[in-house]
Amino acid sequence: MRVLSAVVPIATFSLLACGVGVASATQPGSATTGSTTTTTGTAAASTAYDWGNVEIVGGGFVPAIIFNQSEPGLVYARTDIGGAYRLDPTTQRWVPLLDHVGWTDWSYSGVLSLATDPVDPDRVYVAAGTYTNSWDPNNGAILRSDDRGATWERTVLPFKVGGNMPGRGMGERLQIDPNDNAVLYYGAESGNGLWRSTDHGGTWAQVTTFPNAGNYVQDPSYDYTADNQGVTWVTFDPTTGATGQTTQTIYVGVADQDNPVYRSTDGGATWESVPGQPTGYLAHKGVIDHEGQQLYIATSDTGGPYDGAKGDVWRLDLTTDAWTQVSPVPSSSTDAGWGYSGLTIDRADPDTIMVTTQVAWWPDINIFRSTDRGETWTQIWEFAAYPERTQRYTQDISGAPWLTFGNEPAPPETSPKLGWMAESFEIDPFDSDRFYYGTGATVYGGTNLTDWDDGGTVDISVKAQGIEETAVLDLIAPPGAVELVSGLGDIGGFVHPDITEVPDAMYTQPYHGTVTSLDYAGLAPSTIVRVGQAVDGTVESHIGISTTGGSSWWAGQQPAGVTAAGTVAVGARVEADRVSPTTFYGYSAGTFYVSTDGGATFTASAAAGLPATGNVRFAAVPGEQGDVWLAGGTTTGAYGMWRSTDSGATFTRVDGVEEGDSIGFGKAAPGASYPAVYTSSKIDGVRGIFRSDDAGTTWVRINDDQHQWAWTGSTITGDPDVYGRVYVGTNGRGIVVGDPDVDGTDPTDPPTDPTDPTDPPTDPTPDTAPPSAPAGLTAGTPTATSVPLAWTASTDDVAVTGYDVYQGAVKIGSSPTTSYTVTGLTADTEYSFTVRAKDRAGNVSTPSAALTTRTATAPTTPVGSCTVAYSTNAWSTGFTGSLTMTNTSAAPLTSWNLAFAFPAGQTVTQGWSAIFTQTGSTVSVANQSWNGAVPAGGSVQVGFNGTHTGTNPAPTAFTLNGAGCTTG
């Protein structure tokens, strides 16, 4: 996914009204909401929904495909901002694994590396985080699963992880020891070095003996490109270990053009720069042929993924330490114009290796294949009589026809292209014919790769089904034949007559690479307007207009001076109000504006208390004149949801909505006349996707904790023709669609008819009787942060299928049994809980009698006793320090804080594995959330960098939680 720059709003003009708002892929750190008078509402309940995706297929960068090396058919893919996926071997669709990532930890939908366990294939690990600069408020994390990604545990790292940073195609940085799968290594960015876990990823420590944290920086003048790309890949020689024993020989890639490859031959205890290695380039990939005892590396002059003009492929003989250049086109050749990546070995025939041109924007990437360990190569296309190409492949894009991008280029370019940003090409380790490769827009693959060797053609087709990776900027659902129209980053957007089918083409006439805003005419829904801009270059017009429901478009006339897209409104003539064709609304910096003359002039409303900053969204209600809802703000100012029923003259705050972030409308509930209201908001203390069927008086949460999709603040809309259906915009997981869970089907699955059409289906009497209310709700012994609950089973005329647990009026969890443990509570605090039973038909009981209980008082942090080992490695004005604290008391520590004083004015500049605070000469070192527990006799190691003024004596005394320690 490209980095999306801020969008400049356009001025008010004839067909496009109001440049006073911006539709862009704003990051949640700047997400929004607002405030003014108050209506009463009740707390949010919850209801069951089926969730899926509107079919686009792909739409973003897939930096890596990862095959498990011991179980056939087990394949994973990682994306830069859209999470990770596992391939379903039956359906051949990719299954999303990180949809549980929520609003506050949104950055864990970025994946920098993924590892699948060759010893225990149920285990999978993810290095999660999106940016290493100020754009990301969170440190990175290693996520671990022992059920193939169905559930996850998390270890937060003491530094950030950049799944969407430069260099993200190199790897894999996260690897599992193939002999002792409790051991993992992770290569970090930002100068944080190499890290190791010896307990299946539960805890991590820096490998302090690893000598090089990398030094390659793409461009220090820009925040996004100014970071050290770090330690880039790890690979093991499995022949140097035995089952259950640590592998001895490990190779590690580093973003250092002078020392790109390091090696340990003693299980990671010591390291050396590999003698005789090639220099001047970065090793994007390093892959070992353990049978032939060869290490291959693919290099480029930059970290990519957008650039790379030179590079080579090298082979290291592991028995002789001899390096051999085996480049298909050497960097010294006048024909060279790319770096290499996508390095893979055919594990069934290890003499066969393949590489890609990591990026070659013109005329196309190329793919090279060797069946003799790189001595000779053939390529998937080559020039015949220029500009014609001779191709060893066919390409089928029927799975995503829009991949032509609307282009009809002249030779030697083709449309579609083979790809770009091709950092990962992988051959199935159990099937030499099967392959996948990721690009900047999709996943391609095939099943007849060895036909290449016999002079045949390789059949390439789209293999990204299930991956939805677009950043969604705006959505509209006009009533009628068109189900949905989208505005997306990088690939423009689509008109979906059927959300279960992939559209044939993105927007053209005019072409918009990024569409920031959409609207349709309330009185003539087939009239649609979009505003957009190019990803690179210029566009014919920033305005596109259709009067045919999006089946055809033309370029609208834009005012002089417009340089970028903003937001848009359109009416039967010109309007934003859904009933009055001459009324428009605008908003900027806390002020709401109204036009009653078709957008010719705007007048500021006197309404006060609206949010002045943040990601503010507002929408007019279909069929209701003058009815406008506004959501937005920031946590440091006004944040919430407001409604006006007098065309913006006054606004009333919607009670219970603490943080409102998007607003949309859909078909009214049966028996109701007012449209259903949808929002991504925080209501009554719960963050989620909500629906109100009574104009905001009450709300029901319609998603759950397993379906959160990170940040969802950009756009939301209901379906005007299908009650309960909602479309949610995400920043990297595409367009999510939800329908009420009536019969257990996925809304994106085409309906099937299990009956013979000549046999009318039976019509059983529906089950409308709810279960009895749970009785006997009791609490077990509480801790400071949790309360175990238990109750007596309910009864039902069919079957009780589970129970929902409520804290106050907000559902906090579900259980299939008659017990549930509430976690995440505050110590010494009173809480009230109730439980409701539910049956197979979706009927819900009345609540149980309320149970009020109090959490335990937080335990006193044990003082403990300890020994501290302190060591440094110093140079002229700086040093790296290491502290090892051993708990010598008989009791375990639940948290710890070491304190000491520097004797000579030293200063800590950076620390890891702990929280460092310095005041004057006094330094406090507190545990991270993941290493606070230290058993009796156990140790914890932390490190830091510091400066000194010429002398660097060690501290003479240390305290642990206020008590003195022994130094050793």
Side-chain angles (χ1 to χ4, degrees):
M1 186 62 58
R2 289 179 181 269
V3 180
L4 301 180
S5 60
V7 180
V8 180
I10 59 177
T12 302
F13 60 97
S14 169
L15 249 165
L16 303 180
C18 51
V20 292
V22 176
S24 66
T26 308
Q27 293 301 330
S30 60
T32 64
T33 296
S35 90
T36 256
T37 61
T38 303
T39 64
T40 55
T42 59
S46 62
T47 190
Y49 256 63
D50 283 326
W51 295 99
N53 276 100
V54 174
E55 285 285 299
I56 293 172
V57 178
F61 182 29
V62 180
I65 310 293
I66 303 100
F67 279 92
N68 186 277
Q69 296 298 306
S70 62
E71 180 176 313
L74 182 54
V75 195
Y76 292 88
R78 64 175 172 94
T79 71
D80 49 8
I81 67 171
Y85 293 81
R86 184 187 68 249
L87 188 67
D88 185 313
T90 301
T91 65
Q92 291 298 295
R93 289 181 64 90
W94 297 93
V95 178
L97 303 179
L98 299 183
D99 284 354
H100 69 278
V101 172
W103 183 271
T104 58
D105 57 355
W106 60 268
S107 62
Y108 295 155
S109 62
V111 178
L112 182 61
S113 193
L114 185 149
T116 171
D117 194 329
V119 179
D120 179 359
D122 287 342
R123 293 183 182 270
V124 60
Y125 302 84
V126 161
T130 302
Y131 299 105
T132 59
N133 60 7
S134 60
W135 301 353
D136 193 334
N138 300 316
N139 277 349
I142 302 297
L143 311 183
R144 61 190 187 278
S145 171
D146 58 11
D147 53 15
R148 305 185 183 217
T151 60
W152 296 89
E153 295 180 277
R154 176 184 302 175
T155 297
V156 178
L157 297 168
F159 47 79
K160 294 182 178 182
V161 170
N164 198 33
M165 293 293 287
R168 60 192 181 273
M170 295 190 283
E172 288 297 293
R173 299 171 185 255
L174 181 63
Q175 291 285 10
I176 304 164
D177 188 321
N179 289 302
D180 181 0
N181 68 329
V183 175
L184 290 87
Y185 283 83
Y186 173 64
E189 304 151 288
S190 311
N192 289 302
L194 182 66
W195 289 68
R196 177 170 53 214
S197 171
T198 58
D199 57 1
H200 297 288
T203 61
W204 291 81
Q206 188 175 24
V207 181
T208 56
T209 58
F210 191 77
N212 191 342
N215 58 24
Y216 176 78
V217 173
Q218 179 179 329
D219 179 0
S221 67
Y222 176 37
D223 188 27
Y224 175 67
T225 58
D227 197 19
N228 176 357
Q229 294 183 17
V231 179
T232 56
W233 51 263
V234 179
T235 189
F236 296 87
D237 180 358
T239 65
T240 62
T243 301
Q245 298 179 2
T246 302
T247 299
Q248 295 301 295
T249 299
I250 311 165
Y251 288 85
V252 173
V254 175
D256 178 351
Q257 293 179 340
D258 294 326
N259 293 280
V261 185
Y262 283 77
R263 174 174 62 195
S264 173
T265 57
D266 53 12
T270 61
W271 299 85
E272 66 170 347
S273 177
V274 178
Q277 65 181 283
T279 61
Y281 298 98
L282 302 178
H284 276 230
K285 304 287 180 180
V287 182
I288 284 181
D289 166 18
H290 60 272
E291 293 185 11
Q293 285 294 285
Q294 310 288 331
L295 169 70
Y296 297 91
I297 63 172
T299 72
S300 181
D301 56 350
T302 73
Y306 302 124
D307 56 355
K310 293 280 187 177
D312 282 300
V313 182
W314 289 82
R315 184 183 70 220
L316 172 66
D317 188 316
L318 303 186
T319 60
T320 65
D321 260 5
W323 288 92
T324 304
Q325 187 188 75
V326 291
S327 308
V329 180
S331 59
S332 57
S333 169
T334 56
D335 293 329
W338 53 79
Y340 291 97
S341 192
L343 174 65
T344 187
I345 294 175
D346 184 347
R347 296 295 177 184
D349 180 9
D351 285 346
T352 297
I353 62 174
M354 297 181 71
V355 292
T356 64
T357 55
Q358 172 259 324
V359 65
W361 294 105
W362 188 94
D364 205 347
I365 66 163
N366 217 322
I367 303 170
F368 299 91
R369 181 173 172 90
S370 171
T371 57
D372 52 13
R373 301 189 305 162
E375 295 298 321
T376 61
W377 295 87
T378 52
Q379 58 198 67
I380 204 164
W381 70 266
E382 55 194 334
F383 284 114
Y386 184 88
E388 300 303 322
R389 288 162 46 165
T390 299
Q391 299 184 167
R392 296 177 184 266
Y393 70 94
T394 63
Q395 191 171 10
D396 175 9
I397 61 165
S398 59
W402 56 266
L403 283 166
T404 63
F405 282 74
N407 294 329
E408 295 181 2
E413 287 192 279
T414 62
S415 185
K417 289 192 172 187
L418 274 171
W420 52 91
M421 297 157 61
E423 293 271 19
S424 178
F425 189 107
E426 301 297 332
I427 302 172
D428 187 332
F430 301 95
D431 183 350
S432 298
D433 274 318
R434 188 185 184 205
F435 67 97
Y436 294 100
Y437 69 96
T439 75
T442 193
V443 174
Y444 285 114
T447 57
N448 70 328
L449 185 57
T450 60
D451 286 0
W452 182 322
D453 304 327
D454 299 324
T457 57
V458 177
D459 298 326
I460 298 173
S461 61
V462 176
K463 301 294 185 183
Q465 287 77 8
I467 294 177
E468 296 291 344
E469 202 192 345
T470 51
V472 185
L473 307 184
D474 204 7
L475 297 169
I476 58 172
V482 171
E483 290 194 313
L484 190 70
V485 185
S486 58
L488 309 175
D490 287 354
I491 62 171
F494 301 94
V495 176
H496 268 90
D498 184 339
I499 62 171
T500 69
E501 296 183 2
V502 181
D504 289 337
M506 59 180 61
Y507 299 126
T508 56
Q509 299 173 324
Y511 168 77
H512 287 155
T514 290
V515 169
T516 58
S517 189
L518 299 151
D519 203 2
Y520 68 92
L523 302 182
S526 61
T527 298
I528 303 173
V529 170
R530 57 181 160 94
V531 291
Q533 59 200 37
V535 175
D536 295 304
T538 60
V539 291
E540 176 187 357
S541 171
H542 291 286
I543 307 160
I545 303 171
S546 174
T547 57
T548 59
S551 62
S552 60
W553 297 84
W554 75 88
Q557 182 179 357
Q558 63 187 25
V562 172
T563 59
T567 57
V568 57
V570 61
R573 292 186 295 152
V574 178
E575 71 169 30
D577 188 280
R578 289 305 182 199
V579 177
S580 170
T582 59
T583 301
F584 279 84
Y585 305 108
Y587 172 87
S588 180
T591 301
F592 198 79
Y593 295 87
V594 183
S595 171
T596 57
D597 55 10
T601 61
F602 280 82
T603 302
S605 166
L610 299 176
T613 57
N615 179 41
V616 178
R617 311 284 178 171
F618 69 92
V621 182
E624 303 287 334
Q625 184 169 346
D627 197 340
V628 182
W629 293 63
L630 183 146
T634 63
T635 55
T636 57
Y639 202 173
M641 182 183 294
W642 294 259
R643 181 188 176 194
S644 173
T645 57
D646 54 12
S647 298
T650 61
F651 278 85
T652 299
R653 179 157 185 160
V654 179
D655 189 36
V657 182
E658 298 155 40
E659 300 175 359
D661 291 282
S662 61
I663 192 75
F665 309 98
K667 184 177 181 178
S673 59
Y674 194 84
V677 186
Y678 297 91
T679 184
S680 173
S681 290
K682 184 178 181 181
I683 298 179
D684 294 328
V686 178
R687 168 61 70 175
I689 309 298
F690 293 87
R691 187 190 74 227
S692 175
D693 293 335
D694 52 15
T697 301
T698 61
W699 296 92
V700 59
R701 186 187 182 199
I702 57 177
N703 71 322
D704 55 49
D705 288 350
Q706 295 307 307
H707 299 89
Q708 299 192 79
W709 315 289
W711 188 69
T712 53
S714 63
T715 182
I716 193 170
T717 186
D719 191 299
D721 302 317
V722 181
Y723 166 68
R725 177 171 292 176
V726 62
Y727 304 103
V728 181
T730 74
N731 190 36
R733 266 289 286 122
I735 306 167
V736 172
V737 56
D739 275 309
D741 184 4
V742 177
D743 57 5
T745 60
D746 188 312
T748 61
D749 290 338
T752 58
D753 185 358
T755 64
D756 188 303
T758 62
D759 297 330
T762 59
D763 185 13
T765 302
D767 176 14
T768 60
S772 64
L777 178 60
T778 58
T781 303
T783 69
T785 59
S786 66
V787 173
L789 302 176
W791 55 90
T792 302
S794 299
T795 59
D796 185 68
D797 57 351
V798 178
V800 174
T801 57
Y803 300 87
D804 293 333
V805 180
Y806 288 76
Q807 178 183 317
V810 177
K811 177 184 169 184
I812 57 173
S814 299
S815 173
T817 67
T818 56
S819 63
Y820 181 84
T821 298
V822 184
T823 60
L825 304 178
T826 302
D828 197 23
T829 302
E830 189 173 274
Y831 292 91
S832 178
F833 302 103
T834 56
V835 179
R836 295 173 181 254
K838 54 190 177 184
D839 65 16
R840 185 175 297 139
N843 300 309
V844 179
S845 75
T846 56
S848 68
L851 169 70
T852 300
T853 187
R854 179 176 289 273
T855 50
T857 303
T860 303
T861 301
V863 173
S865 57
C866 71
T867 60
V868 173
Y870 179 91
S871 62
T872 63
N873 179 23
W875 54 95
S876 58
T877 60
F879 67 102
T880 296
S882 175
L883 280 166
T884 301
M885 184 274 291
T886 300
N887 176 16
T888 58
S889 70
L893 293 171
T894 57
S895 63
W896 49 267
N897 190 309
L898 281 172
F900 62 89
F902 280 128
Q906 300 102 313
T907 300
V908 174
T909 59
Q910 180 189 28
W912 49 89
S913 299
I915 300 169
F916 286 77
T917 305
Q918 183 169 356
T919 304
S921 62
T922 302
V923 179
S924 171
V925 187
N927 65 271
Q928 293 277 8
S929 60
W930 48 271
N931 64 355
V934 183
S939 299
V940 62
Q941 184 182 60
V942 303
F944 61 94
N945 291 328
T947 60
H948 63 83
T949 58
T951 59
N952 187 34
T956 57
F958 296 84
T959 62
L960 169 64
N961 297 338
C965 288
T966 302
T967 57

